[in-house]
Amino acid sequence: MINSELIQIANNLFCIKSIEMDNNTYLLVKNGQCIIIDPSFNFESIDHFLTKKNLKLVGIILTHCHYDHSWAVSALEKKYACPIYAHEFDKSTYLKYDCSQWIQKSVPKIKKINWIHEVDLTISDFNLQIVLTPGHTSGSICVNYNNYLFTGDTLFTNGIGRFDFPNSSFHDLKKSLDFIYKKYPPKTLILPGHGDWNNLKFIRKVL
Ligand SMILES: [Zn+2]
């Protein structure tokens, strides 16, 4: 069942929106390769996209390990055997606090996650920066690629992430947001885990 919509944001960037919880799956494309940020529930749509465009999946990055961002990882791992990355500080989210109790189902098991720190991460032809931005969860990250910033559930275009989970912290979230506002230029395209995207200048006006 396809319950999603494919949107092209730029020539190297696509989004698959799962309608159910308005989750955004981002697909970065370069030289016939693809990196996915937060597969969400979108296995079928991702699979279709990769096949249709004849792309090689070279990596999956999780902005954090809540089930609505990670559900399709296991199926993609089985089919494409690509590396999966999440921040080491989000192990607690993965192991205990993935929120899957809300739907009374367990997240399909992922065989191997590469637990990473804040790093310049090179995956194939992609040079990315992993920026630890705790608050929504203890190991939430933003992923920077050129002037794109994938913010997961840390920063939305019309608000900030929830901070009422067992491993959330409002204090940390506020620090992370201040860091983003200072570090990234106004033209940076903020690509959140849910809802619309827009540049940082627009978001600062709204928030
Ligand atoms: Zn979340």
Side-chain angles (χ1 to χ4, degrees):
M1 186 183 66
I2 305 274
N3 195 11
S4 62
E5 179 191 3
L6 175 70
I7 300 165
Q8 180 160 15
I9 302 171
N11 59 4
N12 63 351
L13 178 62
F14 296 79
C15 176
I16 294 171
K17 268 191 172 293
S18 67
I19 308 301
E20 207 176 328
M21 291 174 71
D22 198 16
N23 276 84
N24 296 329
T25 293
Y26 294 105
L27 306 107
L28 274 171
V29 174
K30 187 180 183 184
N31 303 339
Q33 302 173 340
C34 179
I35 284 183
I36 296 174
I37 295 157
D38 290 350
S40 183
F41 306 103
N42 296 316
F43 173 76
E44 284 87 358
S45 310
I46 292 168
D47 193 35
H48 180 72
F49 177 87
L50 294 171
T51 307
K52 200 173 150 212
K53 297 207 173 282
N54 196 21
L55 295 167
K56 184 179 180 210
L57 180 58
V58 293
I60 296 170
I61 305 173
L62 291 169
T63 59
H64 63 296
C65 293
H66 280 155
Y67 80 98
D68 56 321
H69 297 250
S70 67
W71 191 268
V73 173
S74 171
L76 289 166
E77 181 185 40
K78 273 190 198 119
K79 176 147 187 189
Y80 293 98
C82 67
I84 295 143
Y85 304 90
H87 198 281
E88 196 182 6
F89 293 171
D90 224 41
K91 263 187 193 169
S92 64
T93 310
Y94 178 67
L95 296 171
K96 278 189 282 189
Y97 305 127
D98 67 10
C99 293
S100 58
Q101 75 277 8
W102 292 355
I103 50 168
Q104 294 172 340
K105 283 183 194 168
S106 304
V107 177
K109 194 147 177 41
I110 303 168
K111 254 200 239 153
K112 188 187 174 195
I113 297 180
N114 296 284
W115 296 105
I116 53 173
H117 289 280
E118 193 166 3
V119 280
D120 288 331
L121 180 66
T122 299
I123 306 172
S124 227
D125 293 343
F126 298 87
N127 297 313
L128 308 130
Q129 286 82 45
I130 303 299
V131 186
L132 179 64
T133 50
H136 176 68
T137 66
S138 46
S140 281
I141 56 171
C142 291
V143 181
N144 183 216
Y145 181 72
N146 299 331
N147 75 331
Y148 302 150
L149 190 68
F150 302 94
T151 55
D153 289 357
T154 296
L155 176 63
F156 304 108
T157 52
N158 59 354
I160 63 171
R162 283 177 61 171
F163 45 84
D164 57 335
F165 300 111
N167 63 346
S168 296
S169 155
F170 176 67
H171 175 76
D172 288 352
L173 183 59
K174 181 138 187 348
K175 261 173 59 182
S176 296
L177 292 165
D178 286 344
F179 172 80
I180 292 169
Y181 298 156
K182 276 198 198 111
K183 182 171 169 83
Y184 294 99
K187 64 170 189 190
T188 307
L189 185 61
I190 302 296
L191 297 140
H194 302 264
D196 294 330
W197 40 87
N198 213 319
N199 62 49
L200 193 52
K201 188 178 171 191
F202 171 89
I203 292 171
R204 290 305 309 274
K205 268 191 208 150
V206 172
L207 296 184

